[in-house]
Amino acid sequence: MTLRKWSFLFYTTLLMGAVGALISGSIIGQEQLDGGFANFGMALIGSLLAGLMFSVVSQMGFFAYLTLNYLALSVFRRKSLWIGIQIILIVFVFIDFVVLRHDIFAKHESMLTYTWLPLILLAYAVVVAYFKVRATNASAWVPTIFFMFVVTILEWIPALRENNPKSMIMMIVPLLLCNTWQIMQLHRILQKNESLAK
């Protein structure tokens, strides 16, 4: 990846984070309208800054996954082994996401009430993986789902620890937009680099 392509990905991901935070911030902060335009404007500026910060978190997670993927493929030698490990980790993180949140936050609630959130996130990851596979090839299924599900949850941990719905929504919308943008742009950037090399 050239410096120019990285700069494009960096700045467009920042834009995605800002847009995502403005959307989630304007939805969550409807009560700020009662305080007048100035109060609402300050809330939007705060949302914008938060979105920029979340986009940087997303980019760190993205490049951390790319590094992990590269190292894992060089260590395990067989791609199928690394794919299998990622599937196991997806299942483990799903179960852990449900059980830990239930054990920490539940007050005599059924564990089933804590399954809908990871199910929605997993369904979103599968949809993104579907479009990624259509744009590339079938080998992108598991890595895309792993990145969109496991890495997004890891990036989302600060808001999950608070268990505040507003904080969780405020963070997850920019993260999902940024992660989706990055994973869907990666093959386009690499294809351009390959064509330049040829």
Side-chain angles (χ1 to χ4, degrees):
M1 185 182 294
T2 64
L3 185 60
R4 184 180 175 186
K5 299 301 178 187
W6 177 82
S7 297
F8 167 78
L9 190 63
F10 176 78
Y11 289 114
T12 53
T13 306
L14 280 179
L15 180 62
M16 288 292 166
V19 169
L22 287 175
I23 292 169
S24 58
S26 60
I27 293 170
I28 293 169
Q30 287 296 320
E31 67 273 5
Q32 299 291 338
L33 286 171
D34 298 334
F37 180 76
N39 196 17
F40 185 70
M42 290 301 292
L44 284 182
I45 291 171
S47 298
L48 178 65
L49 294 175
L52 295 175
M53 181 183 65
F54 297 150
S55 73
V56 173
V57 171
S58 169
Q59 292 182 67
M60 289 192 307
F62 181 64
F63 284 100
Y65 174 69
L66 291 180
T67 304
L68 173 67
N69 193 52
Y70 176 78
L71 292 174
L73 288 173
S74 61
V75 168
F76 295 126
R77 306 280 181 184
R78 291 169 48 199
K79 192 174 182 179
S80 58
L81 180 59
W82 173 229
I83 293 292
I85 290 170
Q86 288 181 92
I87 292 171
I88 292 169
L89 287 173
I90 290 168
V91 174
F92 177 77
V93 169
F94 184 92
I95 295 169
D96 206 36
F97 190 86
V98 173
V99 173
L100 279 180
R101 290 191 71 240
H102 176 265
D103 290 348
I104 294 170
F105 301 116
K107 295 177 180 177
H108 310 293
E109 297 172 278
S110 169
M111 194 173 288
L112 290 175
T113 59
Y114 285 83
T115 59
W116 66 268
L117 192 57
L119 280 174
I120 291 172
L121 189 57
L122 186 59
Y124 181 83
V126 169
V127 170
V128 173
Y130 170 76
F131 287 106
K132 179 71 174 180
V133 166
R134 286 190 63 182
T136 57
N137 54 61
S139 65
W141 267 114
V142 174
T144 304
I145 293 173
F146 182 88
F147 173 70
M148 291 302 301
F149 184 71
V150 175
V151 177
T152 300
I153 287 176
L154 291 175
E155 295 166 349
W156 199 19
I157 284 176
L160 290 173
R161 291 172 69 179
E162 293 181 22
N163 200 37
N164 182 332
K166 289 188 177 182
S167 299
M168 290 163 65
I169 292 169
M170 185 67 205
M171 192 171 187
I172 194 61
V173 173
L175 285 178
L176 286 178
L177 277 178
C178 291
N179 287 345
T180 304
W181 173 254
Q182 290 177 106
I183 202 70
M184 294 304 294
Q185 289 300 312
L186 181 64
H187 64 276
R188 294 186 177 97
I189 291 171
L190 294 180
Q191 282 173 359
K192 288 178 183 177
N193 287 343
E194 287 173 5
S195 63
L196 287 172
K198 289 177 182 177

